[in-house]
Amino acid sequence: MLGINTKLKQLTKQGKSIKVAVAGIGHMGISLLSQLQDVEGIEVAAVANRHVDLIADKLKHLKLGSGKTEVIASKGSSFERIERQANLAAKEGRVVLTDSLDLMTSLNKADIVIDATGSPEAGAVIAMSAIQHKKHMVSLNVEADVTIGPMIKKMADKQGLVYTVGAGDEPGALKELYDFATALGFTVVAAGKGKNNPLDRDATPTTLAEYSKIKGANPRMMTSFVDGTKSMEEMACFSNATGILPDVRGMHGAKANIDELATVFASKKQGGILERIPAVDFAIGDVAPGVFLIYTTENQILKDELKYLLFGDGPNYLLYRPYHLASMEVPLSVALAYFYQQATISPLDGPVSQVITVAKKDLHKGDSIDGIGGYTVYGLIEEYHTARSQDLIPLGMVEGAQLTVDVAKGQPLTSKMVRINESSVLYKLRKMQEQTYG
């Protein structure tokens, strides 16, 4: 990210800016739009949300671009008509507010599309439309990335476009440490994130209603944090970008403070918990809200130097980033994609890990699955090939699906246990991904 600030200032001096179109006005979307008010060289061209009447009200305290906006609803008009209207509004300096994801991604003025929805299906629609309209894409939607990210990346690459998960969330922050360590020739032992609340697989929006209110968070989002699903998705995202697998299904989630990380997340031969080296994992302790990377070296001179620099006696050493700024760091990914056509973090050529679906309670034939952060299921990270060989269905695919059999609490769901919407864009992209990578 070195020099990004200078590049943005130079762009501003030239009277230019990077134009972004943002989908989603939830917690992450609003935070990002607020941040962009203060970032030189990046301008909001459009904002999309399925309820167009909510956008102006939610953004009333923000100044976007010139401060002038134009609401363009998709109902009652042909796409060609609203597309002409949107492009004219953008040309005249107005920010387009719309309920149409296709309109947002097709806007001539937009250079980069940002997905801040958190919905796997919306993420699939946005990705397909962004690629069709030759736009780089920055995703805050880790739920979509761990479900169809490799396919999106392959399609974007074919068109010479950037697909990246945004800086600021744990996967991007951890990828910075990984790139730093591996560029210096160190060997990675483990990579992980901190979890800043107790793990409770039984958590629901009801049990967390009061806690969510205190934290100012959506109850479903808070549930995905507490029941561990979000940590699974974040580490699967990192796994798919680096090839590092979990040691066990669901990871260990050991209780460990910062000064214990290098000894806990070590091989069993060294007194640690890991059978597999390297491994992705998470820690419950004072590492949150940071990320950590454990590394080692066989070079005795470097070992002596690391000891001198107060990294300890080894054999394993810690790199630790004590923070992540969530959506506030996303402008860095926008600039990196625009100036250098580089991703902050994106999948390798093919999936490595998958987030599987597990019953949160006893479920019955005919029940509808409410998805991530709900009452019926939670997610666990698993090796992709294991998940495929056991026909385990990805968590991102199951929202709205109907059970065809009874399922016991704690049982992983297979594709034969559910009836899902096969006409969805998400389903079609997932099938393409499975056919491509097997």
Side-chain angles (χ1 to χ4, degrees):
M1 302 293 182
L2 295 175
I4 288 291
N5 54 342
T6 301
K7 297 285 282 186
L8 288 170
K9 287 178 181 178
Q10 289 172 344
L11 197 65
T12 302
K13 287 180 180 178
Q14 295 167 7
K16 300 177 182 179
S17 62
I18 307 169
K19 313 297 192 303
V20 299
V22 180
I25 55 170
H27 179 81
M28 295 287 276
I30 290 296
S31 176
L32 171 62
L33 290 165
S34 178
Q35 177 73 13
L36 289 174
Q37 295 178 117
D38 303 318
V39 176
E40 284 189 272
I42 302 179
E43 179 184 343
V44 178
V47 180
N49 185 66
R50 60 184 171 181
H51 302 299
V52 69
D53 52 321
L54 295 179
I55 303 177
D57 184 60
K58 277 223 174 186
L59 303 185
K60 63 185 177 183
H61 299 302
L62 305 182
K63 184 179 185 300
L64 304 177
S66 65
K68 298 176 181 177
T69 61
E70 182 161 341
V71 176
I72 302 178
S74 61
K75 293 180 181 178
S77 299
S78 69
F79 184 77
E80 291 75 12
R81 180 179 177 182
I82 63 173
E83 188 176 36
R84 287 195 299 271
Q85 182 184 352
N87 281 316
L88 178 60
K91 187 176 181 180
E92 294 176 350
R94 295 188 292 280
V95 178
V96 174
L97 311 181
T98 183
D99 60 350
S100 171
L101 296 176
D102 279 337
L103 181 63
M104 175 196 76
T105 57
S106 71
L107 196 65
N108 292 337
K109 192 176 180 180
D111 300 303
I112 293 178
V113 171
I114 303 175
D115 173 12
T117 64
S119 161
E121 175 63 19
V125 172
I126 293 165
M128 288 291 285
S129 189
I131 291 168
Q132 178 187 348
H133 292 105
K134 303 294 192 293
K135 311 290 188 186
H136 298 310
M137 181 176 169
V138 177
S139 178
L140 282 67
N141 191 342
V142 71
E143 295 84 357
D145 179 76
V146 299
T147 308
I148 52 171
M151 196 67 236
I152 298 171
K153 174 66 162 53
K154 191 174 188 69
M155 295 169 68
D157 284 349
K158 191 173 181 180
Q159 297 296 325
L161 300 169
V162 175
Y163 165 71
T164 180
V165 174
D169 221 345
E170 283 96 335
L174 187 53
K175 184 64 161 45
E176 291 180 16
L177 297 184
Y178 173 84
D179 289 351
F180 176 80
T182 55
L184 296 178
F186 292 122
T187 299
V188 175
V189 175
K193 57 159 285 184
K195 190 177 186 304
N196 57 5
N197 42 53
L199 180 62
D200 179 7
R201 301 288 189 205
D202 297 327
T204 70
T206 298
T207 63
L208 294 175
E210 193 61 34
Y211 182 60
S212 301
K213 188 175 181 181
I214 293 170
K215 300 291 285 186
N218 179 290
R220 284 186 70 101
M221 181 175 72
M222 185 58 67
T223 299
S224 74
F225 293 158
V226 174
D227 72 10
T229 296
K230 195 71 171 181
S231 293
M232 303 296 148
E233 292 171 330
E234 289 163 345
M235 294 314 299
C237 173
F238 177 80
S239 172
N240 284 332
T242 61
I244 302 177
L245 290 163
D247 188 38
V248 295
R249 176 178 290 179
M251 304 181 287
H252 292 283
K255 293 182 178 179
N257 288 324
I258 295 168
D259 59 356
E260 301 170 310
L261 292 172
T263 53
V264 171
F265 292 98
S267 70
K268 286 190 173 180
K269 291 179 181 178
Q270 296 172 335
I273 62 173
L274 301 178
E275 290 279 2
R276 182 201 305 266
I277 298 293
V280 296
D281 219 301
F282 69 100
I284 299 174
D286 62 3
V287 64
V291 294
F292 65 91
L293 185 135
I294 311 302
Y295 65 100
T296 189
T297 178
E298 296 298 321
N299 188 318
Q300 188 58 51
I301 293 176
L302 297 185
K303 288 181 178 180
D304 294 341
E305 185 72 3
L306 286 166
K307 183 176 182 179
Y308 174 76
L309 294 170
L310 304 182
F311 277 78
D313 295 327
N316 299 329
Y317 308 91
L318 171 69
L319 289 176
Y320 168 56
R321 190 183 196 252
Y323 65 92
H324 70 280
L325 299 183
S327 57
M328 289 182 279
E329 295 184 52
V330 169
L332 299 176
S333 292
V334 170
L336 194 64
Y338 180 85
F339 290 121
Y340 302 111
Q341 291 73 57
Q342 290 183 9
T344 300
I345 177 171
S346 59
L348 300 170
D349 187 24
V352 176
S353 289
Q354 177 174 306
V355 179
I356 65 171
T357 309
V358 181
K360 188 175 282 189
K361 61 180 182 179
D362 289 341
L363 301 172
H364 305 285
K365 181 178 178 179
D367 285 351
S368 181
I369 300 174
D370 54 3
I372 298 165
Y375 294 85
T376 56
V377 293
Y378 60 86
L380 291 177
I381 188 174
E382 177 57 278
E383 293 184 45
Y384 173 72
H385 290 298
T386 299
R388 287 280 288 143
S389 68
Q390 297 178 15
D391 193 32
L392 302 178
I393 192 164
L395 180 64
M397 300 291 298
V398 298
E399 184 171 353
Q402 191 174 54
L403 285 170
T404 58
V405 295
D406 292 345
V407 180
K409 178 180 179 179
Q411 184 177 358
L413 273 62
T414 70
S415 63
K416 294 180 178 64
M417 295 177 177
V418 294
R419 186 181 298 112
I420 64 177
N421 178 13
E422 296 185 2
S423 66
S424 72
V425 176
L426 181 71
Y427 177 84
K428 292 174 182 177
L429 275 176
R430 179 70 188 193
K431 293 305 289 185
M432 285 175 61
Q433 181 170 291
E434 289 174 352
Q435 289 165 3
T436 300
Y437 296 109

